[in-house]
Each structure stands twice: as structure tokens, then as C-alpha cells.
Amino acid sequence: MSERLEEAAAPSGEDAESRAECADLGGEEQAVEAAGVDCDESDESNGSIDQVSTRLFQDQKENLANCDNSNKDIILKRILNGRRSSFPEVVETTQLSYYERYKAYQDYILGDTKPSEVQDFIAEYLEKVLEPYGWQAIWSNDMFEVLVEVTDLETSNLRAVVKLTEPFRYESETYSLNMEGMESFLEAKNHQVPLQELYVAFDESGEFEQTALAIEHLRFFFQHIWRIWDEDDDDDDFDYFVRCCEPRLKLYYDILEDRVPVDLIAEYNQLLSKCEETYKEFIKVRNDISASDSESESNNVSMVEGIKLCEELDKLKYKLRIMESPLYRYVLRQDGYGLPGKQAKGTRPSGEKMIHVVSSSMTITLLKSLLKEKLNPDSFIQEQAMEFHSDPLAAINACYEGDIVIICPGRYSVNGFFTIADSIQVEGYGLPDDIVLVKEGKGDAFVDCTASCVKISNLKIIQHDATEGILCVRKGRTILESCVFQCDSTGVVLRTSAQLYMKNCDVYGAKGAGIEIYPSSTCELFGNDIHHCKEGILIKNFMEELYEVPKITMMNNLIHNHEDYGITMSKFAINFTKKKPCFVLHHTSDVEPTTNLQCDLNEQNMELDSGSCDSQQVPDVLIEECDPAVSEEIVIFNPLNTAECDEAITNELISTSATKREQTRSRLNETVDSEMDNVMPQEIFPSIVGNHFKKNGKGSFGIVYC
């Protein structure tokens, strides 16, 4: 760490900052001062030039590291397309899909480059793709917009040499410059402008479309992918695209498509800003150390300060990397991101418990039937108070500890979400298909349970345009009986340390998992029908160093017609605490994993034999230490029979003998961490009986390492 502080810093600090954002910045300031002297315009024009240049360079410095302005390119698109007729139309490049950007960065721009090589690779790409001269563009920044013609390129510092067009076309809401004033301003900049600020004018020949696309990739990269500390990383020996570009690109599109809760976005942006500030402070201290006397007392003080900043910077960078990883950021969202915190009310001040009846229109017949079948003397105290509501959300929000909500038949549109913080019961009066709660508008989880004990029964819940599960148990215990869940993004989510009892429920339609189970949770599933989702049940068995394995009881469930597996266990190939080696399962030969591995398993000595529930048994596969930067999916079970049963899964979970394990270890000539052996399936599944698995796309059970 001391060596890191003592290394020489660039005199102007440009190498420490992003070279693409601040190249020649100091030279530009000097040039602008010269322009103020040489300009022969009126005092008003001179004042405008000075104001423009001062504000422009100030904004460039302030926004130097702003890599998370997630809507800038979309806003620019609207501005450019809404210009007055004096400007030509620009080539549309902002609506690129995730796949289009992914392929461009992976195949053409970055490849397998290291962080220290990124700038050179980008310059080389631009040199090959950009038209060297003869095309017009709108030079647009926060201060003004002016039409220019490109006469040459300086790809090494990501700039273009430009001249003003005739007729002169200029727009600014703040500053007014004529052609002579702008010409003087360009001369002060040696006629060089950042490529990122150029928007290529539309040409019917289509000759400059690739130029416009290349500049868009450049602009997007430095706005949303590149971080000012990327090039200054001690560990430079890794694939920049895999570790940095891909997860940040995925995060950008997840945010753009409302897949990430707003609170998580806010926390990420806050961490990013703090990391940028800390990095700048660290660079300043490092530069001061390099310029000062190494034996002075102040230098020693700066060294201690620099070490603290370095440690803080490493922590912030690591947190950002966690949140940029899709699996990590979802696993660590335990505190209700995207949902306002709601405190439990406790018991009502009077001590009484209330019955809340919800009906869109209450009739005498319905009331009589309700009193006879539901509110009869055998079930309730006749002196118990009642309240009537037309909105189920208002009824639940009015509840105190121990209250009961009875929802009568009807279809209720809910503009909001349910946050249940008190132990209450929510019951539907009638069949689930007759009592329908429909989520209106976009949002996160529809029903969020944080109470010590919540019971929900006889309801049909429908969710649209969601970023989280239809029902989320964040803490406490939730009981679901005879409910129907028509899901959107994910089905029922059971968070860390929470408990779920689910009986005779129907879950379908999720684009993710029907039921998503996090570590340290307890899940009891009895007689449920889980079908037509991407995957039936997703078990997130993450970070054994921090959490216990989930406890799952499954009896008489029907799991069928899923796109992937009936049950998927997801594990990390990246170790969280960085204190222990992480492991990943591989074939014992060079054969690539496929989606149907039964024959490969037999051929590679990876057969999954039946065995007793011995916690010391592990699958007969090659276990090797994995690079934390590696992220891959490995399927280790895919039965050939589509009508599987519990026995197949149970055998898979507890299979292989200790003899084969010892043979594997001897081949590796290494000792496998004992905790890998101890986290065994019978701990996860105390009981798994009478379940049926049918027509699941990839089979009954699979393990995915990410």
C-alpha cells in the first residue's frame, strides 16, 4: 500500500483522472485566455466568450467523473430532434439495445483488453471506423450548440479538428455569440473538440452512419461504463469487458427498464459519488507525497492519511462491484429497497380488535350471507367492532395488531402496494377466482410482509409491470392458504431469515422463479401447483460464511411446465468474504458443458449414484479453486425422463460415495474445505415427499454457479 502511495503521479493529474474526459484541459484554459486577448469583437462579445469558456471548463471539471448520468443520451435525443429548422437532423443512435451495445464492446471495441489498454483499444477502433474528414456534426454541450464540419481526427486523445460551417448555425439559451466570436473560441481550442460532444448530421447517402454509431459507443462508454479509477487499479491483469463492462452495461439497462428498485439505484449512485470523491482525495494526497520531502513530518502525516483513503476506496469499490453484479445486488436487498419503511402499529389504544369488511358494493343479501357463514357466533365475539371499506388497500392500512380483513367477491384495482407490518389475517370470502386483487401501474413487490405472523387466504392476486416478486416475505412468518398468484417478474420471494408456510396455492406466469428462496430462511410447501414460470423454485444458497442454508420442506407439490428447471439451486463462484477459496464444479475432461449432460456425466465419471443421507458425501466431480473474476453457469443434473419424482431429486442431492470423493481428492492432490462437505442437501431439505415434476424444459433439478 505504501508503494501505491509513493508511485509518481502525472504532473497535471490527467493520468489519474480519465484521459478521455480531460485530455488537454489545462491547455484549453490557456488557449481561452489567449482568445480573450486576441478577439477583436465588441465588449459584449468578449464578455460572452469569457462566460462561455469559464462555464464550459468549469462544468467539464465538475462532471469529469460523472459515469452514471443514465438518461443523458435519451434527453439529448429529444433535444436534437426538437431543434429549430436551422439545424439539420442528426443520425439516431440512442435507442440501441443491450445486445447491440454488448456485441460492439465485446467484439469490436474492447475484446479481451486489460484496463490499462482500454484507451489504446478505443483509439484504434475509432481510427478504423471514423470517416477522417468531410462530415458535419452538431457540437452540443451544456452551454451551446453549433454546427461544425470535421476536417481531421485526433483519435489518440479522442478529439476532432473542426471548423464552422457556412451559413453559421448556433443556438444557446444562455450565451449569445456571433460567428466571429465562435471562431475566436475555436482558435483558442486549436479547433479541437471532444468526439463525445459531436452528433453526426444526417446524410441521405448513409455514408456517415458508422461514424455516428462509433461516436455513440464512445459517448456511452465514458458516461456509463468507465470509472476514473479503472486505469489506476493495482490488479491490471484481468479482462476489462468481463469484470467491468458487462455488469455495468447490464445494470444500466436494468435501471432503464425499471428492473431495479429506486432505493437501490439511489444507494448505488450515492456510493458511486462517494467513491469518486474519495479517489480524487487519494490522488491529491498521492501527488502531494510525490512532490514533498520524503523525510518530512508532513509527508508522514500524508502517508497515514493516504493509507486510510486507500482502504476506504477499496471498500467502496468492492461495494460497487457487489451491486453491479446482478446476483449479488439481489441477494443483499434485505431491507425493502423501493418500498417505504412501515413501522408496526401494535395493538389498538383501546385494546379491541377490529373486523374490516371490504366490498365494492354491500347488499343485504351479501351481508346476511356473510353474517351467517363467516361472522357467526362460533367464529367471532358478537360484540366485536366492524368497519366497512370499498378499497382493500385502505382496509389493510387501517389495521392494528390482531385485526381481520375479510374481502368479499369482486375485482379490485389497487393503485399502490400492500405493506403488512402488523400480525393480521386477510381472508377472501368465497373462491379465490372470485376475489381478485389487480396491481395497477409499475412498481416493486405487490404485497410486502414484515410482521411476525401474517395469514393470507382465498385470494387471487394479479401483478403487472413489476420489478420484484408478487409477494415478498422480508421477515417474520407468512402463511398462504388457497391463494392464486398470477405473477409478472417473480412469484413469491422468501427473504433471508424469514419464514413461509404455503398450502394449496397456485403460482404461475413468472418471468423468473415461481418461488425464490434466500439463505437462512424456512420454507414449508404443501400441495401447491407451481407451473409455467421460467423456473419453478429457485434456491439461493449463497455465502455460507455469512448465512445458514435455507430449510425447505416439500410435500405433495406439483411442479411442471417450466422453461428451465423445476428446482434450481444457485451458488456463487465468487467468494463474498475473500477469506476462503471458492470452488466451482467442472468436468474431468475438456468436454464443454451442455444443456443435456446425462451421457457426458456417465462418460466423464460423473455419474450420480444413489446413496445414504451422509453429510460427508459430495458429488463425484472435479472441484477446483476458481478465479473470483470468473462467472459461469454449470448444469450438473438433467434427467432424461421428463416425468421425474422426488426420489430422483433426493438421490441427486445426496448422491455419490465417499470412496469416489477420496479418489477425486487424490487426483487433485489437495484438501477440499470441510465446509463444502458440510453444506449438504439433507440440511436444505429436511423432508421432500410425494412431489411430482413434469415437463420442465431442462429437467427436475439443476445447480447453477454464477
Side-chain angles (χ1 to χ4, degrees):
M1 191 175 299
S2 300
E3 295 176 356
R4 181 175 176 182
L5 286 167
E6 291 173 348
E7 66 183 59
S12 63
E14 291 176 8
D15 289 337
E17 307 283 348
S18 172
R19 289 185 300 182
E21 293 290 321
C22 66
D24 299 332
L25 189 58
E28 290 176 354
E29 291 173 325
Q30 296 174 1
V32 168
E33 293 177 1
V37 175
D38 296 337
C39 183
D40 294 329
E41 296 301 313
S42 64
D43 293 339
E44 180 180 355
S45 298
N46 285 330
S48 297
I49 295 174
D50 292 339
Q51 291 175 347
V52 170
S53 58
T54 302
R55 174 72 183 278
L56 179 61
F57 293 129
Q58 179 182 357
D59 289 348
Q60 284 179 338
K61 290 179 179 178
E62 290 176 353
N63 298 323
L64 190 61
N66 185 9
C67 300
D68 194 58
N69 187 8
S70 58
N71 292 321
K72 185 173 182 181
D73 55 341
I74 298 175
I75 295 173
L76 282 174
K77 170 182 174 289
R78 291 199 292 266
I79 292 174
L80 293 171
N81 287 346
R83 293 178 185 281
R84 292 189 285 270
S85 58
S86 60
F87 281 102
E89 289 295 323
V90 297
V91 178
E92 173 58 60
T93 58
T94 58
Q95 299 300 316
L96 297 177
S97 67
Y98 168 80
Y99 178 76
E100 289 170 328
R101 295 193 193 273
Y102 180 96
K103 294 297 290 182
Y105 291 126
Q106 182 187 48
D107 295 344
Y108 304 109
I109 303 176
L110 298 177
D112 57 356
T113 179
K114 300 176 182 179
S116 60
E117 302 170 338
V118 167
Q119 305 282 351
D120 295 333
F121 270 60
I122 291 177
E124 183 180 351
Y125 165 76
L126 295 175
E127 184 71 27
K128 293 178 180 178
V129 177
L130 296 184
E131 291 291 334
Y133 58 87
W135 46 278
Q136 292 187 349
I138 299 175
W139 177 22
S140 176
N141 51 54
D142 294 336
M143 307 306 301
F144 58 78
E145 293 163 353
V146 62
L147 185 63
V148 297
E149 181 179 338
V150 174
T151 60
D152 198 4
L153 297 175
E154 294 288 343
T155 56
S156 59
N157 59 12
L158 307 182
R159 292 180 175 273
V161 179
V162 301
K163 67 177 182 179
L164 298 177
T165 61
E166 293 184 3
F168 175 64
R169 298 180 181 180
Y170 171 89
E171 284 186 8
S172 175
E173 295 181 357
T174 309
Y175 301 99
S176 176
L177 290 178
N178 55 24
M179 186 172 183
E180 289 74 15
M182 180 55 68
E183 184 66 36
S184 298
F185 181 64
L186 280 176
E187 289 177 0
K189 295 170 62 67
N190 295 323
H191 286 265
Q192 293 187 9
V193 300
L195 280 168
Q196 297 98 301
E197 296 181 1
L198 295 181
Y199 295 82
V200 180
F202 177 76
D203 184 271
E204 293 184 357
S205 67
E207 182 181 357
F208 306 121
E209 289 185 358
Q210 289 302 315
T211 295
L213 190 61
I215 293 177
E216 170 62 25
H217 289 316
L218 173 70
R219 181 166 41 245
F220 183 91
F221 179 81
F222 284 109
Q223 286 178 348
H224 308 294
I225 306 297
W226 183 255
R227 306 288 185 254
I228 58 176
W229 55 81
D230 284 349
E231 194 176 33
D232 200 32
D233 201 318
D234 287 340
D235 179 16
D236 188 54
D237 191 19
F238 62 84
D239 188 328
Y240 182 82
F241 176 83
V242 172
R243 179 179 291 189
C244 299
C245 182
E246 183 178 2
R248 291 170 187 172
L249 184 64
K250 176 64 175 173
L251 175 61
Y252 171 82
Y253 275 91
D254 282 350
I255 293 174
L256 193 66
E257 297 169 7
D258 296 325
R259 294 175 183 166
V260 183
V262 291
D263 283 7
L264 185 59
I265 299 173
E267 182 175 345
Y268 177 81
N269 290 335
Q270 183 179 7
L271 274 175
L272 187 62
S273 299
K274 187 175 181 181
C275 192
E276 291 167 352
E277 293 173 2
T278 304
Y279 178 77
K280 292 176 181 178
E281 292 177 12
F282 173 76
I283 291 300
K284 183 178 182 300
V285 171
R286 191 176 69 178
N287 293 344
D288 292 342
I289 292 174
S290 299
S292 63
D293 184 359
S294 59
E295 298 180 358
S296 65
E297 182 177 352
S298 61
N299 188 73
N300 294 333
V301 174
S302 298
M303 182 72 71
V304 174
E305 182 184 355
I307 291 174
K308 291 180 180 179
L309 287 172
C310 182
E311 292 175 348
E312 178 67 17
L313 181 63
D314 287 340
K315 291 178 182 178
L316 292 171
K317 287 161 62 175
Y318 184 62
K319 288 180 181 179
L320 285 172
R321 186 182 169 198
I322 287 175
M323 299 182 75
E324 287 167 354
S325 169
L327 288 176
Y328 269 136
R329 68 174 177 260
Y330 284 111
V331 126
L332 297 178
R333 288 182 307 168
Q334 301 171 29
D335 299 324
Y337 288 103
L339 298 170
K342 182 177 180 180
Q343 299 296 325
K345 297 179 182 178
T347 57
R348 193 173 271 100
S350 62
E352 65 178 350
K353 297 180 180 179
M354 189 82 67
I355 297 175
H356 303 265
V357 179
V358 180
S359 177
S360 55
S361 60
M362 179 62 69
T363 63
I364 295 177
T365 303
L366 178 59
L367 183 58
K368 286 182 178 179
S369 177
L370 190 64
L371 292 171
K372 180 180 179 181
E373 299 178 7
K374 197 72 176 177
L375 304 176
N376 55 68
D378 296 334
S379 303
F380 296 95
I381 301 174
Q382 295 303 292
E383 288 76 19
Q384 193 164 353
M386 295 177 59
E387 281 188 4
F388 292 88
H389 307 265
S390 60
D391 181 10
L393 182 59
I396 290 177
N397 288 339
C399 285
Y400 284 79
E401 188 85 12
D403 285 3
I404 297 174
V405 179
I406 299 175
I407 304 178
C408 297
R411 186 180 181 91
Y412 302 89
S413 297
V414 180
N415 189 11
F417 48 83
F418 298 97
T419 302
I420 304 177
D422 291 280
S423 295
I424 63 173
Q425 295 183 41
V426 182
E427 306 175 15
Y429 174 52
L431 298 175
D433 287 337
D434 296 331
I435 307 118
V436 182
L437 306 181
V438 183
K439 175 71 171 68
E440 295 294 335
K442 293 185 178 181
D444 299 323
F446 189 11
V447 183
D448 195 72
C449 301
T450 60
S452 58
C453 185
V454 177
K455 182 178 180 180
I456 301 174
S457 58
N458 297 329
L459 296 176
K460 182 174 183 179
I461 302 176
I462 301 176
Q463 185 184 33
H464 302 291
D465 297 326
T467 59
E468 287 214 26
I470 191 169
L471 184 145
C472 182
V473 185
R474 298 196 181 273
K475 58 183 179 179
R477 178 177 174 82
T478 296
I479 300 172
L480 303 176
E481 291 187 356
S482 303
C483 291
V484 178
F485 296 96
Q486 181 178 321
C487 312
D488 184 59
S489 61
T490 308
V492 178
V493 179
L494 180 60
R495 290 291 185 186
T496 301
S497 302
Q499 301 178 34
L500 172 66
Y501 177 93
M502 187 172 178
K503 182 178 180 181
N504 298 333
C505 292
D506 189 3
V507 181
Y508 63 94
K511 298 174 184 176
I515 299 179
E516 191 172 289
I517 302 173
Y518 280 72
S520 298
S521 60
T522 302
C523 184
E524 300 173 275
L525 305 174
F526 299 93
N528 301 289
D529 188 2
I530 306 169
H531 58 99
H532 293 92
C533 303
K534 187 177 188 296
E535 47 205 358
I537 300 174
L538 175 61
I539 304 169
K540 296 193 171 183
N541 186 25
F542 296 143
M543 298 179 292
E544 292 88 347
E545 300 89 344
L546 300 180
Y547 304 113
E548 298 292 331
V549 296
K551 303 292 191 298
I552 304 171
T553 299
M554 294 181 60
M555 297 182 65
N556 303 321
N557 298 283
L558 179 59
I559 303 174
H560 62 98
N561 292 98
H562 297 290
E563 182 180 340
D564 290 345
Y565 295 97
I567 298 179
T568 301
M569 182 179 294
S570 181
K571 286 178 169 287
F572 280 144
I574 303 176
N575 185 268
F576 178 74
T577 63
K578 298 195 262 188
K579 294 180 180 179
K580 299 180 181 179
C582 57
F583 299 89
V584 65
L585 302 179
H586 286 291
H587 294 74
T588 55
S589 76
D590 295 330
V591 179
E592 290 290 331
T594 63
T595 55
N596 189 346
L597 295 180
Q598 188 66 32
C599 59
D600 291 338
L601 296 178
N602 294 332
E603 295 174 2
Q604 307 300 330
N605 292 325
M606 294 174 62
E607 294 179 342
L608 305 173
D609 302 331
S610 300
S612 62
C613 297
D614 183 1
S615 64
Q616 298 302 315
Q617 294 179 351
V618 297
D620 178 31
V621 291
L622 180 61
I623 302 179
E624 67 179 28
E625 187 171 351
C626 85
D627 185 348
V630 175
S631 176
E632 57 182 312
E633 176 179 306
I634 298 167
V635 179
I636 68 168
F637 180 65
N638 186 25
L640 298 177
N641 189 355
T642 58
E644 304 88 356
C645 62
D646 301 330
E647 183 178 1
I649 293 183
T650 304
N651 291 340
E652 162 59 17
L653 291 170
I654 63 178
S655 62
T656 75
S657 65
T659 303
K660 289 187 176 183
R661 183 192 67 217
E662 293 300 329
Q663 291 174 351
T664 302
R665 287 180 174 177
S666 62
R667 288 197 304 267
L668 291 170
N669 193 24
E670 65 178 51
T671 301
V672 180
D673 191 283
S674 60
E675 291 194 11
M676 292 292 294
D677 295 342
N678 294 332
V679 184
M680 292 307 294
Q682 74 274 15
E683 298 180 45
I684 299 178
F685 291 94
S687 177
I688 176 168
V689 179
N691 302 281
H692 297 278
F693 298 80
K694 298 179 180 179
K695 298 181 180 179
N696 297 302
K698 293 185 178 180
S700 294
F701 181 82
I703 296 181
V704 176
Y705 278 74
C706 304

